[in-house]
Amino acid sequence: MGDAGEMKDGFSLFDKVGDNNIEASQIGDVMRAFGINPTNAQIQKAMEGIDPAGKKRLGFNRFMPVFETVKGASKPMTFEDYVEGMKVFRQGSRRIPELRRTEAFTHIYG
């Protein structure tokens, strides 16, 4: 996700009530939808300052500083990580059709 407008639109998809807020417990889901993969520990740490019990709702403006903090702390994927992940699709593996489905999905949805 790039600009703030796109992110705000994406954020609103998680609003189940229609008040432009999400449940604090959805922070990790929204972050993953925005392209980062925080650990559970990072999510818990981020939620401590907002709502340790995960009961409150928060708006986009309260979410973004948390997102930026976690995004900055997230380790970017390296080439070696990518290679390690692709090992499940080795030649001779029964998972080759999964790779083809993944390639097709990536081609269709970019």
Side-chain angles (χ1 to χ4, degrees):
M1 293 242 153
D3 67 20
E6 286 180 359
M7 291 185 80
K8 195 167 190 173
D9 289 342
F11 180 88
S12 69
L13 295 174
F14 288 86
D15 174 15
K16 297 176 183 171
V17 177
D19 63 353
N20 296 319
N21 292 295
I22 62 166
E23 299 293 328
S25 61
Q26 292 178 289
I27 289 174
D29 296 333
V30 177
M31 288 184 183
R32 288 182 188 99
F34 288 168
I36 63 171
N37 193 21
T39 64
N40 289 337
Q42 289 173 316
I43 294 168
Q44 290 301 323
K45 186 175 181 180
M47 288 176 60
E48 284 175 7
I50 293 178
D51 181 28
K55 294 181 181 176
K56 293 183 181 176
R57 295 177 60 77
L58 67 147
F60 183 74
N61 291 335
R62 282 184 57 207
F63 168 78
M64 282 309 293
V66 176
F67 174 76
E68 292 298 332
T69 299
V70 173
K71 181 180 176 184
S74 294
K75 179 183 150 199
M77 189 173 178
T78 65
F79 177 75
E80 288 77 20
D81 295 332
Y82 176 77
V83 169
E84 187 65 28
M86 295 305 292
K87 285 182 181 178
V88 297
F89 301 113
R90 287 190 299 250
Q91 197 65 308
S93 170
R94 291 183 170 180
R95 297 183 177 191
I96 294 298
E98 292 176 24
L99 176 60
R100 291 190 181 114
R101 282 194 300 270
T102 303
E103 288 173 347
F105 182 80
T106 304
H107 178 71
I108 292 169
Y109 296 104

